[in-house]
Amino acid sequence: MRFINPKTDFAFKKIFASEDSKDILISFLNALIYAGESIIEDLEIIDPYAPPRITGLKDTYLDVKAKISDGTIVIIEMQVLNVESFGKRVLYNAAKTYATQLKSGEGYFKLKPVIALTLTDFEMFDNWEGVISRFVFKETQHLFDYTDNQIELVFVELPKFQKKLEDLETLADKWIYFMKTAPSLEVIPEKMGSIPAINKALRIANEANLSSKELEELDKQMMFLEDQKGFLIKGLREAREAALQEGREVGLQEGKLEGKLEGKLEGKLEGKLELIMRLLRRRFGNLLTPEIENRIQGLSIDQLENLVEAILDFATVEDLLAWLQAISE
């Protein structure tokens, strides 16, 4: 028995956001947000795509979005790569979800709490050893809560979780263990299978239950992530900084800073651009037309860095086209 990796975009959505996933998501959220208490009894899984209501506001794409029966909105994101400004993106998504609840003329009393649950496959907080951390608005000196504290950020840092199967105690332990080890399991452990929601999640994650098309999509995403890990954003940033430094040194010596800088920068980025194109071709195949490739090759340095960060959000080539159109306007 083989299980798909729940950290991939495809698998995470299939397990937690499909039509038959409500009980799985309820158990998952109760475990990670409410310490295993059955606070959430019912919820509605809603479209995780969040188009802006305000002209000029950035579109956002989330892995899972749900509304609890009391009106609280929970947005969930699984992040594998430690991309630039990721912490800001989490805060932006939470703030945007909160702000765009209201239509013109509606009173602020209609605003409902927003909880942003983020699982990371990397460590975010070096000064904190805990696996789960929670952030709310507090007074800086005396640490009392803000009166209307309706935005909460919850982080689960998977690399910090080191418990083995025999050490699992809480429901949160078992769900985090599921997220970390599902692809390496050969059978459903009794300790995991005794939890109905986790047992069901593992059955959904069983490769034998996937169609050939689903397996192909999963394989593409796995290759895509492996190619990008620890390379793209760091490489682009290092290339730009190296080119800027070389350009300054040459320019100061020869009085040709601007021309030298541009030449060095283009050379440094040429290889990185080719890698981005290769990854996009692998993901979208023949759908990546020469016209689209030409548009990408004409992007500026900053736009290329933004594209690297946005690639994981693209589910279809139409998403890529929408992104290219947005930056050209």
Side-chain angles (χ1 to χ4, degrees), residues 60-80:
T60 50
Y61 299 84
L62 304 165
D63 290 326
V64 181
K65 184 177 181 181
K67 181 180 289 186
I68 301 174
S69 53
D70 67 358
T72 298
I73 299 172
V74 182
I75 55 177
I76 308 121
E77 184 169 6
M78 175 68 234
Q79 183 67 20
V80 175

Side-chain angles (χ1 to χ4, degrees), residues 239-240 243 260-270 301:
R240 181 170 66 172
K260 294 289 183 181
L261 176 59
E262 290 178 355
K264 292 283 185 180
L265 190 53
E266 289 175 0
K268 291 284 184 180
L269 289 176
E270 185 176 352
I301 300 164

Side-chain angles (χ1 to χ4, degrees), residues 22-23 26 30 37-43 68-70:
K22 181 186 288 189
D23 53 338
I26 288 175
N30 276 331
E37 298 292 328
S38 299
I39 303 299
I40 303 173
E41 296 181 353
D42 195 17
L43 56 74
I68 301 174
S69 53
D70 67 358

Side-chain angles (χ1 to χ4, degrees), residues 16 21-29 43 45 64 66 76:
F16 295 105
S21 297
K22 181 186 288 189
D23 53 338
I24 295 175
L25 186 57
I26 288 175
S27 174
F28 185 72
L29 295 180
L43 56 74
I45 299 174
V64 181
I76 308 121

Side-chain angles (χ1 to χ4, degrees), residues 10 210-220:
F10 166 80
L210 301 182
S211 67
S212 58
K213 185 176 181 180
E214 288 176 323
L215 288 171
E216 182 181 357
E217 175 63 24
L218 180 64
D219 185 54
K220 286 181 180 179

Side-chain angles (χ1 to χ4, degrees), residues 50 53-54 57 60 62 65 71-75 90-103 106-116 137 146-153:
R53 290 181 179 173
I54 303 172
L57 195 63
T60 50
L62 304 165
K65 184 177 181 181
T72 298
I73 299 172
V74 182
I75 55 177
V90 172
L91 183 59
Y92 176 87
N93 285 339
K96 177 185 174 183
T97 301
Y98 184 73
T100 55
Q101 292 180 66
L102 298 182
K103 297 179 181 179
E106 291 183 332
Y108 296 114
F109 68 91
K110 288 191 173 183
L111 287 168
K112 297 296 183 180
V114 170
I115 300 174
F137 294 122
Y146 183 67
T147 305
D148 291 303
N149 213 341
Q150 290 199 310
I151 296 180
E152 182 173 3
L153 308 181

Side-chain angles (χ1 to χ4, degrees), residues 69-279:
S69 53
D70 67 358
T72 298
I73 299 172
V74 182
I75 55 177
I76 308 121
E77 184 169 6
M78 175 68 234
Q79 183 67 20
V80 175
L81 303 178
N82 189 6
V83 298
E84 187 176 13
S85 301
F86 176 67
K88 292 182 179 179
R89 188 173 90 189
V90 172
L91 183 59
Y92 176 87
N93 285 339
K96 177 185 174 183
T97 301
Y98 184 73
T100 55
Q101 292 180 66
L102 298 182
K103 297 179 181 179
S104 178
E106 291 183 332
Y108 296 114
F109 68 91
K110 288 191 173 183
L111 287 168
K112 297 296 183 180
V114 170
I115 300 174
L117 173 61
T118 304
L119 294 87
T120 65
D121 204 25
F122 52 87
E123 295 188 8
M124 285 196 66
F125 310 112
D126 296 334
N127 58 345
W128 168 247
E129 295 181 356
V131 177
I132 301 177
S133 51
R134 311 171 74 103
F135 297 85
V136 294
F137 294 122
K138 287 184 177 290
E139 200 278 334
T140 57
Q141 292 185 334
H142 304 287
L143 301 181
F144 62 85
D145 288 347
Y146 183 67
T147 305
D148 291 303
N149 213 341
Q150 290 199 310
I151 296 180
E152 182 173 3
L153 308 181
V154 181
F155 292 90
V156 181
E157 299 170 83
L158 297 179
K160 292 181 178 179
F161 186 82
Q162 299 298 323
K163 290 186 178 181
K164 297 180 180 179
L165 180 62
E166 59 269 22
D167 301 322
L168 304 182
E169 297 177 354
T170 67
L171 183 60
D173 285 346
K174 294 170 184 177
W175 271 117
I176 296 172
Y177 187 83
F178 165 83
M179 292 300 302
K180 284 199 67 172
T181 67
S184 63
L185 297 177
E186 296 181 356
V187 296
I188 299 178
E190 182 178 351
K191 209 164 192 177
M192 308 282 286
S194 62
I195 308 297
I198 297 180
N199 187 295
K200 185 176 179 180
L202 284 166
R203 284 189 281 109
I204 292 175
N206 188 347
E207 283 192 5
N209 296 327
L210 301 182
S211 67
S212 58
K213 185 176 181 180
E214 288 176 323
L215 288 171
E216 182 181 357
E217 175 63 24
L218 180 64
D219 185 54
K220 286 181 180 179
Q221 289 192 8
M222 289 297 296
M223 289 191 295
F224 182 74
L225 288 173
E226 288 301 320
D227 280 344
Q228 289 190 86
K229 275 185 178 179
F231 182 78
L232 279 178
I233 293 177
K234 181 180 178 182
L236 283 169
R237 189 185 301 117
E238 288 178 349
R240 181 170 66 172
E241 291 303 318
L244 287 169
Q245 183 59 34
E246 290 180 29
R248 290 190 193 100
E249 293 173 357
V250 173
L252 289 173
Q253 293 174 2
E254 301 180 13
K256 299 178 180 179
L257 175 60
E258 184 175 354
K260 294 289 183 181
L261 176 59
E262 290 178 355
K264 292 283 185 180
L265 190 53
E266 289 175 0
K268 291 284 184 180
L269 289 176
E270 185 176 352
K272 302 297 186 260
L273 176 60
E274 176 55 33
L275 179 56
I276 292 173
M277 296 304 302
R278 181 164 61 85
L279 292 172

